Amino acid sequence: MLYYKFSDYLVKKYNEKVYKIPVNIPVTCPNRDGLLGGKGCIFCGEEGAGFETLEPARSVKEQLSKNIEYIGKRYKARKYIAYFQNYSNTYLPVSDFGFYVEEAI
């Protein structure tokens, strides 16, 4: 096997599917804020990833709660992982990103 998908790893570790819960925080990236460009990248949509993503004005805790309720009912999911997805979360200072990670925990 040349590529071991993270989702397969989670199934093996937890003996069932683990659902990624999207978290949207107010970030940008150097390809959007003018540092390197302003149009973004070809792999990132205009609004970042939109599927089941809530607006970044909501707290991380609220986003996780609402999406766990929705995804849990829709897919009969029981296990979850927070997934920070829009734009470049690594573009934040570590201390700022740590605040959002702590909230997710």
Side-chain angles (χ1 to χ4, degrees):
M1 175 185 320
L2 295 176
Y3 178 75
Y4 188 37
K5 294 190 308 187
F6 186 57
S7 59
D8 292 340
Y9 164 79
L10 292 173
V11 168
K12 185 174 181 179
K13 181 169 178 68
Y14 296 105
N15 298 313
E16 64 184 284
K17 182 166 176 57
V18 178
Y19 288 80
K20 291 187 288 186
I21 304 299
V23 175
N24 190 5
I25 59 177
V27 296
T28 186
C29 78
N31 293 309
R32 288 184 177 274
D33 72 358
L35 185 64
L36 297 177
K39 296 181 181 180
C41 301
I42 61 170
F43 54 83
C44 191
E46 187 63 34
E47 296 295 322
F51 182 68
E52 295 167 344
T53 302
L54 300 171
E55 58 277 352
R58 293 179 187 246
S59 71
V60 169
K61 185 175 181 177
E62 183 182 0
Q63 291 180 58
L64 290 170
S65 294
K66 287 196 172 292
N67 270 328
I68 285 171
E69 181 181 346
Y70 171 75
I71 290 170
K73 286 179 185 175
R74 182 168 183 176
Y75 299 106
K76 296 181 177 53
R78 299 184 320 137
K79 294 187 179 171
Y80 311 93
I81 185 172
Y83 181 65
F84 294 88
Q85 61 182 16
N86 288 355
Y87 309 128
S88 292
N89 297 307
T90 56
Y91 195 46
L92 285 172
V94 172
S95 60
D96 293 350
F97 186 58
F99 168 81
Y100 295 110
V101 171
E102 286 292 326
E103 191 177 357
I105 293 170

